Each structure stands twice: as C-alpha cells, then as structure tokens.
C-alpha cells in the first residue's frame, strides 16, 4: 500500500547505511564535501502518530532518532508536541529518515489527530465532521510550530479526501500563512513540504456532459437584445439527473 512505518530494528542496524533516500538525494555526498549536517535547523514533522507502537526510546538509544527527543529542548519545548495512541507511527518513520539525512537538525513532531479516535467516515456527514475537527487542529499545530517552536522547515505526509478541492480550505490557508511569513512581525517564511499529492492518480475523469443551468444562466449578461450568454456546465450525474457540483 506504500504506507510508511518505523524501521523494524535489527542487529547492527544504523540509519546511515540503510537509508536509500540519503543516497538518492546525494545528501551523504553533501555532508562529506561541505560539512552540512542540519545544525541550527529546526524541522517540524506532521503525521499520524509518533510513539503509539512504542520504540522511540530504543530508536534514540541506537541513534535512529536525535538524542533526547523523548524530552524537551533548551527552551522547554517538547520535541513531541502531542501524540495519539491508536495510529501507526508514520511520524517516527519520517523522523528516522530526516535524522539520517540531517543528523544535527532538531526534530519536532505534532499530529492533528484527536486524542480519541473518531468514527469511520462511512457517511458524508461523518466525513465532514471528522474533517472539520482535523482541519482545526491542523491549523493550530502549524501555527504552534511556527510561532512557538520557530521551525525553519515543516514536512507532512497527511491527506484527507474531504478537504476542499477547488479553493483553499483551513489547512491550505495555514500552510500559505507559514510559507509567506511576516516581515513586519519578524516572522520568516517556512519551507513547507507536503505529501498531499500522493493520490494524484486517484482522480475523476469523464466525457464532458454539457448542460445548461438556468439558475446561473439567468444571471449572465445580455449579449444582444433578448439574448443571454449561455454557458454549459459539466453534469456529474451520469444517470439522467443534473448535478453541476
């Protein structure tokens, strides 16, 4: 299914010799040639959970995660801002990769998921309710990472199919806010990398079924005496009804 998961630790494992991303991006060459290790950079990781499956302390002991990541930084900020107990620790898998690539960077994790697992979105109403809860939490943690932690980079691997497609929703607006920064307030823009496009091949495709829609067409301007502009809209209902949304 392509889902990330923390590496299962075995004898002799180290992040530096099994991380294909490190080699594919030539990050190992950059570190060796220029001494760039991520020192002084704070990176926020947003995902499902971090230590729901356990293993964080062992990861730290083996060097797969930064030392002390189970505690707080020198400003009193926890490296794991919040967590949930019912998910798959994709956030820890991401942190393992980032730590191997930029071993001296400070890593901070947060999840927009609620403390108690929401019901499965089996109905559109439930899906929207769940999306609203996650979106509001998402907005909060992005702003916390930027304002409180003052991260330089944020990476996320989350995608929710019920967020708005055709305009920026709460999450997209929060991302824009983080990237733009605010010079007047001394807030630098954050580099934001998202896996929201992971499902780009899961899309809608159809032969165009053009239909007029009187409710909109009646408000269009007149092009000649007695003539209204006429637009055709795609009809998403393949069964004879009319649905232009």
């Amino acid at each position: 299914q392509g889902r990330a998961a923390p590496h299962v630790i075995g004898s002799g494992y180290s992040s530096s010799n099994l991380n294909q991303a490190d080699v594919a991006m030539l990050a190992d060459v950059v570190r060796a040639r220029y001494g760039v290790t991520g020192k002084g950079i704070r990176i926020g990781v947003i995902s499902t959970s971090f230590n729901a499956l356990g293993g964080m302390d062992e990861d730290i002991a083996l060097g797969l995660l930064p030392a002390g990541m189970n505690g707080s930084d020198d400003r009193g900020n926890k490296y794991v801002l919040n967590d949930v107990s019912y998910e798959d620790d994709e956030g820890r898998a991401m942190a393992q990769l980032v730590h191997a690539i930029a071993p001296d960077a400070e890593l901070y994790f947060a999840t927009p998921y609620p403390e108690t697992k929401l019901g499965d979105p089996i109905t559109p109403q439930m899906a929207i309710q769940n999306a609203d809860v996650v979106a509001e939490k998402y907005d909060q943690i992005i702003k916390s990472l930027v304002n409180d932690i003052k991260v330089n980079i944020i990476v996320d691997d989350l995608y929710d199919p019920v967020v708005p497609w055709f305009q920026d929703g709460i999450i997209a607006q929060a991302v824009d806010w983080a990237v733009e920064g605010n010079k007047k307030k001394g807030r630098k823009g954050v580099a934001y990398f998202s896996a929201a496009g992971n499902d780009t091949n899961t899309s809608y495709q159809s032969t165009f079924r053009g239909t007029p829609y009187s409710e909109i067409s009646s408000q269009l301007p007149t092009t000649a005496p007695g003539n209204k502009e006429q637009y055709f809209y795609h009809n998403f209902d393949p069964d004879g009804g009319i649905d232009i949304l």
Side-chain angles (χ1 to χ4, degrees):
Q1 300 266 334
R3 293 181 65 81
H7 182 80
V8 177
I9 298 171
S11 176
Y13 171 79
S14 72
S15 58
S16 61
N17 63 20
L18 285 182
N19 187 342
Q20 296 180 36
D22 193 27
V23 177
M25 297 189 297
L26 300 180
D28 56 337
V29 176
V30 173
R31 286 196 307 274
R33 185 172 297 175
Y34 302 108
V36 178
T37 63
K39 187 173 183 179
I41 300 298
R42 297 171 183 147
I43 301 174
V45 175
I46 300 175
S47 188
T48 54
S49 66
F50 198 83
N51 198 35
L53 305 178
M56 174 172 62
D57 291 341
E58 189 174 5
D59 282 355
I60 293 171
L62 292 175
L64 310 183
L65 293 175
M69 194 171 178
N70 50 359
S72 304
D73 64 18
D74 56 8
R75 300 168 296 158
N77 297 311
K78 289 185 177 181
Y79 290 111
V80 180
L81 278 66
N82 69 320
D83 204 355
V84 294
S85 61
Y86 56 85
E87 273 295 345
D88 48 17
D89 289 3
E90 286 189 19
R92 185 155 53 90
M94 294 167 67
Q96 289 178 355
L97 292 170
V98 175
H99 182 56
I101 294 166
D104 289 334
E106 290 187 276
L107 306 185
Y108 297 83
F109 171 81
T111 178
Y113 286 20
E115 293 181 7
T116 303
K117 187 175 183 180
L118 296 169
D120 291 332
I122 57 175
T123 66
Q125 182 179 6
M126 179 63 77
I128 292 171
Q129 289 175 350
N130 290 359
D132 286 346
V133 170
V134 172
E136 290 175 6
K137 187 70 173 293
Y138 219 125
D139 175 77
Q140 293 171 7
I141 64 174
I142 288 175
K143 290 177 179 176
S144 180
L145 286 169
V146 173
N147 287 331
D148 302 332
I149 308 300
K150 295 181 172 36
V151 296
N152 308 96
I153 299 169
I154 295 177
V155 294
D156 79 47
D157 72 337
L158 297 179
Y159 169 72
D160 193 327
V162 296
V163 300
W165 291 1
F166 301 115
Q167 62 183 12
D168 282 352
I170 294 174
I171 300 172
Q173 290 177 49
V175 172
D176 288 344
W177 170 87
V179 172
E180 290 169 0
N182 190 317
K183 290 184 178 180
K184 292 183 179 179
K185 295 184 178 181
R187 178 167 55 81
K188 293 183 179 180
V190 171
Y192 197 110
F193 301 90
S194 175
N198 268 5
D199 296 325
T200 51
N201 289 335
T202 306
S203 58
Y204 175 84
Q205 184 171 341
S206 170
T207 300
F208 181 68
R209 293 186 291 270
T211 179
Y213 199 72
S214 58
E215 184 177 342
I216 296 177
S217 297
S218 63
Q219 302 176 43
L220 295 175
T222 301
T223 56
N227 292 330
K228 289 279 189 182
E229 283 190 25
Q230 180 64 68
Y231 293 137
F232 284 89
Y233 307 89
H234 179 66
N235 184 6
F236 288 93
D237 187 343
D239 299 320
I242 295 179
D243 182 359
I244 68 167
L245 301 179

